[in-house]
Amino acid sequence: MNSFVLLAIGILALPVIGVAQKTAGSTTCPVNEQTDDDVLLTICNHGHGMVPQPQPRLYLRIFTDGRGELESNEAPRPDDPYATEVLVVKTFHVDADEISEIRRLGGMPDFQCAKDVYPAYVIGTDSSAATTILFNYPGKSKKIIVNNFSYVNVNNRKNYGLSLCRLMALVDELRDRGFGIVREPPTISFCDLMRNRDMYLGKTVAMNATLEYSDTHQFIYDPECAEPGMGSLFTTEKLSVEFTPTKSQELLDKARSLRDQRFGGRARVYIYGTLFEGRVRFGDDTFNFRFAISKFVSIDPIILPYKGRLEPGWMYVDSFDATNEREPKLSSPLKISLHHAARVEWLNADTFPKLRAAGRTFVTFRVISRDIQKISNNRWNDIYICEILDLQ
């Protein structure tokens, strides 16, 4: 009799327990092909196994006006004995450059030609997830389902194509922002960027480089990458420079500061930016890749120690013992080619009276030009025109 009563009570309690544990579902997912015109991108995850409940849930939604949304679990109320899991919507902002990049990537031929459904290239041990990506743009809408997508899988580009991988990398950054997580871009070397370009394409990185600026074009490179002994990191590659659209004027003004006498058209910069494919030609120079600078962290003049060689456009520092000199005396003779003679002509030595004072003198100067004059069948004169920038 007692067993029958207990069983009856248990049966009656089951519906009550079921109602108490019922979880609130997603406000957006699952997603279908029909969506509002003001929605640019929707990504839904439907996980199975050891995953947070409820499922499915909105991983990310981007509106054309820059609004962003995602769903995550709200902490259970302290007075909830069943710890009911409920999804809440978090909102954040996406800037115009990122909206433009999403549109660009979604409209790329390899994205538009992507498979409708991709298999699981990564097998989970206790969970799995189907991710639905719905890109919504007039004439180029596309729905893609990927299974067990991993943001860190090194084979992603081979499995899914470049544009989809770039889009998902951007999605990961935007989702972090939705949670209030601000991640600094990884700091890498220019040499590493070039060696592992496939891995870094479309991703924001931070690095040191040499930036050269002129009114016709700008480019970056790193002379250290071309030093002997660099092995697999050796490269003489140069990257054409552009600037993110919403900050283009501010960034261009900073780049133009390189025309100042302190820089002479080039500087050592620490920058944030993104690598893109695309051949660009300026005059006699052809660049196979573009680097979109999004931030200048530092800009420093490049002044090389004088070691016997001079190159037009570069700045040098040297020291000598002055004894009532009229012009600076370089610490060592110029290293010149066979059958060449060389001399330095100083444009503005007369404006530095410190040259007439005895003692150790430090000179900073710029090489304006080099003029090679043939004086016989087998003899040449090299004339370096230099300008003193500072004398200490």
Side-chain angles (χ1 to χ4, degrees):
M1 183 67 178
N2 291 339
S3 298
F4 176 78
V5 171
L6 291 174
L7 179 60
I9 293 172
I11 293 172
L12 291 172
L14 283 176
V16 177
I17 294 173
V19 172
Q21 290 183 337
K22 186 176 181 180
T23 58
S26 171
T27 60
T28 299
C29 302
V31 65
N32 55 40
E33 288 79 356
Q34 300 300 320
T35 189
D36 297 333
D37 291 340
D38 62 343
V39 176
L40 177 62
L41 180 70
T42 302
I43 298 180
C44 285
N45 272 358
H46 196 162
H48 301 275
M50 299 296 290
V51 295
Q53 295 298 322
Q55 293 288 335
R57 60 179 58 200
L58 176 66
Y59 192 80
L60 195 74
R61 169 175 271 186
I62 304 298
F63 293 83
T64 55
D65 62 3
R67 288 176 293 143
E69 293 180 347
L70 59 87
E71 289 178 332
S72 66
N73 285 86
E74 182 182 50
R77 298 193 317 271
D79 60 347
D80 182 359
Y82 302 106
T84 306
E85 296 181 88
V86 178
L87 289 176
V88 295
V89 177
K90 297 181 181 293
T91 61
F92 61 101
H93 177 72
V94 180
D95 66 37
D97 287 342
E98 291 161 335
I99 294 291
S100 297
E101 182 64 2
I102 292 172
R103 284 176 174 158
R104 189 187 72 83
L105 291 172
M108 293 295 287
D110 63 327
F111 185 92
Q112 290 292 309
C113 294
K115 298 178 183 178
D116 293 334
V117 179
Y118 284 88
Y121 297 109
V122 177
I123 305 302
T125 55
D126 55 7
S127 64
S128 62
T131 299
T132 302
I133 304 159
L134 182 58
F135 174 73
N136 181 47
Y137 197 65
K140 291 188 176 181
S141 294
K142 178 75 174 179
K143 182 179 178 181
I144 303 170
I145 299 175
V146 293
N147 288 281
N148 287 3
F149 183 84
S150 169
Y151 289 90
V152 296
N153 192 315
V154 296
N155 294 317
N156 277 348
R157 181 177 179 180
K158 178 181 69 175
N159 294 334
Y160 303 107
L162 181 58
S163 295
L164 177 56
C165 291
R166 287 184 186 174
L167 178 65
M168 295 304 282
L170 178 56
V171 162
D172 200 33
E173 292 179 14
L174 295 177
R175 183 172 165 84
D176 279 348
R177 187 185 307 165
F179 281 111
I181 301 171
V182 179
R183 301 186 190 278
E184 292 296 318
T187 299
I188 62 172
S189 70
F190 185 92
C191 320
D192 183 42
L193 178 71
M194 289 293 92
R195 182 191 181 201
N196 298 299
R197 60 193 68 175
D198 288 350
M199 182 173 68
Y200 291 118
L201 278 169
K203 296 183 179 179
T204 301
V205 298
M207 68 178 179
N208 288 294
T210 296
L211 169 62
E212 295 204 14
Y213 177 88
S214 74
D215 290 330
T216 57
H217 63 279
Q218 305 86 42
F219 58 89
I220 58 172
Y221 62 100
D222 194 335
E224 293 183 2
C225 301
E227 292 289 335
M230 289 301 292
S232 62
L233 292 176
F234 178 89
T235 180
T236 59
E237 191 93 43
K238 296 180 180 180
L239 303 179
S240 173
V241 163
E242 58 189 42
F243 306 103
T244 53
T246 56
K247 300 179 182 177
S248 60
Q249 191 57 53
E250 172 192 345
L251 296 168
L252 182 58
D253 288 343
K254 289 187 177 182
R256 283 174 175 163
S257 69
L258 271 63
R259 295 181 298 187
D260 184 80
Q261 185 185 55
R262 295 179 304 124
F263 300 106
R266 64 168 60 87
R268 191 67 176 173
V269 294
Y270 183 54
I271 49 179
Y272 293 177
T274 308
L275 180 68
F276 296 104
E277 288 180 310
R279 179 166 292 194
V280 180
R281 185 173 181 83
F282 292 107
D284 295 331
D285 296 321
T286 299
F287 305 94
N288 296 316
F289 294 88
R290 301 172 290 113
F291 193 81
I293 296 177
S294 57
K295 181 179 180 181
F296 282 102
V297 180
S298 64
I299 304 176
D300 299 303
I302 300 174
I303 303 176
L304 303 177
Y306 170 71
K307 295 181 179 180
R309 299 190 184 277
L310 298 175
E311 292 292 337
W314 287 90
M315 293 187 291
Y316 297 86
V317 63
D318 196 21
S319 63
F320 60 95
D321 291 320
T323 54
N324 195 25
E325 308 294 341
R326 295 189 58 188
E327 294 183 339
K329 295 190 308 183
L330 297 179
S331 58
S332 62
L334 282 165
K335 297 177 182 178
I336 55 177
S337 303
L338 189 64
H339 306 303
H340 283 245
R343 74 174 188 270
V344 175
E345 294 184 359
W346 301 92
L347 289 178
N348 57 344
D350 292 341
T351 63
F352 287 87
K354 285 185 179 180
L355 282 169
R356 261 70 77 189
R360 193 70 173 171
T361 302
F362 295 86
V363 60
T364 304
F365 63 97
R366 178 187 295 111
V367 181
I368 303 299
S369 63
R370 176 191 182 192
D371 182 24
I372 302 176
Q373 300 176 350
K374 186 173 183 178
I375 59 175
S376 68
N377 287 338
N378 204 29
R379 299 292 299 174
W380 291 266
N381 279 345
D382 295 358
I383 303 173
Y384 293 89
I385 307 300
C386 296
E387 175 188 23
I388 300 173
L389 302 177
D390 187 48
L391 203 66
Q392 299 291 334

